[in-house]
């Protein structure tokens, strides 16, 4: 890690190619199972850990030897995690590989990008399947997971860095709910090459999050860059559910940045976008209202998962990101707004 931190450019793109090849092979092997392997195997491993500890106590075996074996296993897993995938955190900026400039942006540029992504999302909002009360209709998880797994194929012809595994994203059957309570909506598991998402995430962001996790399998480790890659995959999709989810998330990230820095501008933009009256024939105004309605539904959906476990989960993830020199930690999830502004300007 120290070597890559100091001289990371010397190892790329070679290391990323190695990592993508390895994770792709693991994904192909684990893809034999229709469920997430690590999600299921974690249970017997946990049972084995407790059982061997109890065995040592009952048989009066050396606990030092037991602890030594556990430490060796943990050390081997950490070595694999870092060597096989984690060093992608030290890759050159994704913006360099995509040919876009990231710089400081003015309030006008941020506001213009926010308005643009709202308009794009609004144009698609009424085309996405909805229930009678206009809430988004829950789609088949495995259908979306298959589309998301292959979501980077359209981009790879223009940007070769997106070439790699097209294995479907997998559903978390056991760890899904606990993961949501920890404040996370997906996880990439380098030991099996599996991109995983709980089935009960908010409907509006489900396709985007699937593409985000699939981006990690392509060696894109940075959270903000995986967010941007997820947006690009959604934008390039010919499936309206993915296109909408990508523009919806882009708008939300930009709006959050605008509201945090220029709250009056954010309020004014929303008031202007939704207009004074609800008119379904007005695609622009009605679409904007649907986008904001989906944003409300998403926030309401995750309220049920708020609590102490979320604080702990966020703290752990923050420490992990900072270990790999993502100095802003979990705040890097929001910095994708810089990429989105640059993409809009381009």
């Amino acid at each position: 890690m120290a070597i890559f931190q100091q001289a990371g450019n010397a190892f790329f793109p070679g290391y990323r190619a190695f990592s993508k090849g390895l994770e792709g092979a693991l994904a192909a092997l684990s893809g034999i199972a229709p469920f997430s392997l690590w999600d299921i195997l974690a249970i017997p491993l946990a049972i084995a850990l407790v059982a061997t500890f109890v065995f040592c106590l009952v048989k009066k075996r050396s606990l030092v030897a037991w602890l030594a074996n556990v430490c060796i296993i943990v050390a081997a897993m950490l070595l694999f995690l870092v060597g096989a995938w984690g060093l992608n955190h030290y890759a050159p900026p994704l913006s360099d590989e995509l040919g876009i400039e990231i710089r400081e942006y003015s309030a006008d540029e941020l506001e213009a990008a926010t308005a643009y992504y709202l308009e794009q999302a609004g144009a698609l909002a009424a085309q996405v399947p909805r229930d009678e009360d206009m809430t988004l209709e829950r789609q088949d998880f495995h259908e979306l997971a298959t589309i998301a797994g292959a979501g980077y194929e359209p981009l790879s012809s223009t940007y070769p860095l997106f070439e790699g595994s097209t294995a479907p994203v997998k559903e978390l059957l056991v760890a899904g709910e606990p993961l949501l309570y920890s404040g996370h909506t997906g996880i990439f598991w380098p030991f099996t090459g599996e991109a995983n998402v709980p089935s009960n995430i908010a409907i509006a962001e489900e396709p985007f999050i699937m593409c985000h996790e699939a981006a990690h399998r392509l060696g894109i480790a940075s959270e903000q860059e995986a967010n941007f890659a997820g947006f690009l995959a959604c934008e390039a999709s010919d499936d309206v559910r993915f296109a909408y989810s990508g523009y919806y998330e882009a708008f939300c990230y930009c709006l959050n940045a605008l509201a945090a820095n220029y709250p009056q501008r954010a309020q004014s933009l929303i008031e202007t976008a939704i207009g004074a009256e609800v008119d379904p024939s007005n695609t622009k105004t009605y679409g904007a209202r649907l986008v904001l309605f989906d944003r409300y539904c998403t926030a309401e959906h995750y309220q049920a998962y708020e609590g102490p476990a979320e604080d702990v989960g966020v703290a752990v993830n923050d420490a992990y990101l900072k270990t790999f020199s993502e100095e802003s930690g979990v705040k890097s999830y929001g910095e994708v707004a810089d990429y989105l502004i640059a993409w809009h300007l381009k």
Side-chain angles (χ1 to χ4, degrees):
M1 287 170 62
I3 294 172
F4 269 62
Q5 185 176 6
Q6 295 299 319
N9 288 349
F11 298 95
F12 289 90
Y15 174 78
R16 176 173 281 166
F18 156 76
S19 180
K20 283 201 298 185
L22 177 59
E23 294 301 330
L26 290 172
L29 289 173
S30 62
I32 297 174
F35 51 83
S36 177
L37 277 181
W38 78 266
D39 185 34
I40 301 299
L41 292 179
I43 299 175
L45 288 175
I47 293 174
L49 181 67
V50 175
T52 53
F53 177 74
V54 173
F55 177 82
C56 288
L57 290 178
V58 174
K59 297 295 183 178
K60 297 181 179 180
R61 300 288 177 85
S62 172
L63 289 178
V64 174
W66 176 87
L67 181 60
N69 287 327
V70 171
C71 288
I72 289 171
I73 293 171
V74 171
M77 292 177 67
L78 287 174
L79 177 62
F80 183 88
L81 169 66
V82 174
W85 183 80
L87 294 174
N88 283 303
H89 281 282
Y90 304 111
L94 187 63
S95 56
D96 291 352
E97 300 182 76
L98 297 176
I100 58 177
E101 178 187 3
I102 301 296
R103 55 174 173 79
E104 292 186 3
Y105 297 101
S106 68
D108 289 340
E109 289 172 322
L110 173 56
E111 184 176 358
T114 307
Y116 167 75
Y117 289 117
L118 175 57
E119 183 177 356
Q120 295 300 111
L124 299 171
Q127 301 178 38
V128 185
R130 294 178 180 272
D131 294 325
E132 292 182 359
D133 61 357
M134 297 313 294
T135 57
L136 289 168
E137 182 181 320
R138 178 71 70 178
Q139 301 295 293
D140 181 76
F141 181 94
H142 299 288
E143 179 193 3
L144 295 180
T146 300
I147 296 172
Y152 290 93
E153 282 189 306
L155 289 172
S156 61
S157 58
T158 305
Y159 303 106
L161 71 98
F162 291 125
E163 293 177 351
S165 172
T166 59
V169 175
K170 290 191 173 182
E171 178 183 2
L172 287 174
L173 300 173
V174 177
E177 287 294 298
L179 191 71
L180 289 173
Y181 278 106
S182 74
H184 300 88
T185 53
I187 186 171
F188 172 67
W189 198 244
F191 302 101
T192 57
E194 293 173 307
N196 306 271
V197 172
S199 61
N200 197 33
I201 57 178
I203 301 174
E205 61 182 28
E206 186 173 26
F208 170 83
I209 290 175
M210 287 182 172
C211 290
H212 169 107
E213 298 305 330
H216 284 318
R217 188 165 52 208
L218 300 180
I220 302 173
S222 163
E223 290 301 331
Q224 65 165 325
E225 293 182 352
N227 275 334
F228 185 60
F231 161 74
L232 291 179
C234 287
E235 184 186 47
S237 176
D238 57 4
D239 189 305
V240 68
R241 296 168 297 181
F242 279 81
Y244 174 68
S245 184
Y247 283 122
Y248 166 81
E249 286 292 301
F251 162 68
C252 289
Y253 279 119
C254 288
L255 180 63
N256 290 342
L258 187 65
N261 294 281
Y262 314 101
Q264 291 184 339
R265 282 178 176 253
Q267 183 65 28
S268 176
L269 184 149
I270 296 302
E271 291 176 353
T272 302
I274 62 177
E277 299 179 0
V278 180
D279 181 6
S281 65
N282 186 332
T283 304
K284 186 175 182 179
T285 302
Y286 185 58
R289 286 181 176 268
L290 286 178
V291 173
L292 293 171
F293 176 61
D294 291 338
R295 182 175 165 85
Y296 166 79
C297 292
T298 297
E300 188 177 45
H301 178 81
Y302 288 125
Q303 281 183 353
Y305 296 100
E306 294 177 355
E310 181 180 11
D311 297 335
V312 174
V314 170
V316 170
N317 194 33
D318 183 69
Y320 164 78
L321 293 174
K322 289 181 177 178
T323 298
F324 284 99
S325 299
E326 287 197 44
E327 294 301 330
S328 54
V330 292
K331 291 182 180 179
S332 64
Y333 284 94
E335 290 169 5
V336 68
D338 290 338
Y339 273 81
L340 292 168
I341 297 169
W343 192 252
H344 168 244
L345 293 174
K346 181 181 180 180

